[in-house]
Amino acid sequence: MPANNVIAEIKNLHTNFYLREGVARAVAGVNLTLEKGRTLGIVGESGCGKSVTAHSLMQLVPSPGKIEEGEILFYPPGSTTEVIEIHKLEPNSKEMRAIRGNQISMVFQEPMTSMLPVRTVGAQIMEAIILHQQVSKAEARTRAIEILSRVKLPNADRIVDTYPFQLSGGMRQRAVIAMALSCNPNLLIADEPTTALDVTTEAQILDLLRALQQDFDMGIMYITHNLGVIAEIADDVAVMYMGKVVEQTDTSSLFFKPLHPYTQALLRSIPQLDDVMARTGKNKRLETIKGMVPDPYRILPGCVFHPRCPQFMEGICDQIAPEIIEVEPDHIVRCHLYTAPAEAHTAKDARL
Ligand code: SF4
């Protein structure tokens, strides 16, 4: 058993999509640990596998996707011996439905797609409470109003009877968060929950999530492509590229000492107001990462980032897949720059 504060572990997860064009390896050997009271940020470009990792954890991988290999372990609170092997559960099984929306909840990017437009906000929150907590309708309504107040929606006793389309975007996202928290989950997965919101509302939602995390002592997996949001909310960060974690550490180490060339490139591509105007006094071009994310059906030899890497080493990076290594305590990276050259060459010689 892991330490007491561990809620879930993902071990060597592989999730593939079987399409006419070929096999898309969306998640290719991911290892993650989620802890009580901490936020793990998952960051990377679109298509890097961050959402599929989260969907795998909830057994919500859409067809024709499939968890092919690996383990997803959930440790229910209050038990030091029980382990639920989520990867072995059928997506629609009674056991999985008892976990999903109850012990593990998810907030999606676009609130209009996670709420039914024809049912009131209250009815949708009450449904989850009645299903998982077996309380009366009156009790569920009281709890729904309580949770709507906790996500700082004004006049919760009125909002409970409104329809999603009657609320603003920010209010709808608060209502979706209320729905996700209605059963006091141990783990909340937030999949780009602020991407569709303006920056002021985004800052309010991030403050709200931080406050709710303290109240509920829950773990959060926060998925985003925005490193600014990661700086605001995450304790630890995993950077993903082509279905793999390429770097993982605590948030301040990632920002102050990024090791992987992909992380360094992501950080260089954040607009810096002082860089643009104050220091130079003239406009400066924003750095971008050259090239495109490769075709997901192709298995690239060597490092998955090598076609775009500014520090590419011919004969090594294009031939040998780097292993993940711990460069500093709790700072892991998947890159040959941190492997002793002799080791990389020995591995290369072994392949020839
Ligand atoms: Fe760049 Fe090579 Fe490191 Fe890959 S292994 S990130 S190609 S230096």
Side-chain angles (χ1 to χ4, degrees), residues 58-73:
M58 296 275 281
Q59 277 288 11
L60 281 177
V61 180
S63 174
K66 195 173 164 217
I67 296 176
E68 200 63 75
E69 197 184 325
E71 291 181 310
I72 303 170
L73 306 174

Side-chain angles (χ1 to χ4, degrees), residues 42 50-51 106-112 114 169-174 176-177 188-210 212 220-234:
I42 312 281
K50 45 193 197 306
S51 291
M106 192 157 180
V107 178
F108 295 91
Q109 179 176 339
E110 177 43 69
M112 274 312 262
S114 32
M171 289 169 93
R172 270 200 297 268
Q173 196 57 294
R174 281 171 195 265
V176 169
I177 292 171
L188 180 74
I189 300 172
D191 189 358
E192 310 237 15
T194 59
T195 304
L197 304 175
D198 61 80
V199 285
T200 311
T201 313
E202 177 175 74
Q204 291 168 354
I205 295 284
L206 294 178
D207 283 347
L208 173 69
L209 284 172
R210 269 196 302 265
L212 292 169
I220 298 181
M221 178 194 256
Y222 198 103
I223 296 169
T224 181
H225 61 271
N226 185 338
L227 277 164
V229 170
I230 287 290
E232 284 289 313
I233 192 125

Side-chain angles (χ1 to χ4, degrees), residues 20 56 113 157 161 164-165 202 217 221 275 286 325 328:
R20 241 186 323 188
S56 304
T113 57
D157 51 347
D161 294 319
F165 62 83
E202 177 175 74
D217 198 24
M221 178 194 256
D275 267 4
L286 182 64
I325 51 164
E328 286 171 13

Side-chain angles (χ1 to χ4, degrees), residues 260-261 303 305-306 309 311-313 317 322 334-337:
H260 197 280
C303 168
F305 189 55
H306 85 255
C309 181
Q311 295 177 66
F312 163 70
M313 296 175 282
C317 299
R334 189 186 290 277
C335 174
H336 288 308
L337 291 173

Side-chain angles (χ1 to χ4, degrees), residues 159-174:
I159 286 194
V160 76
D161 294 319
T162 57
Y163 289 89
F165 62 83
Q166 294 176 295
L167 303 177
S168 69
M171 289 169 93
R172 270 200 297 268
Q173 196 57 294
R174 281 171 195 265

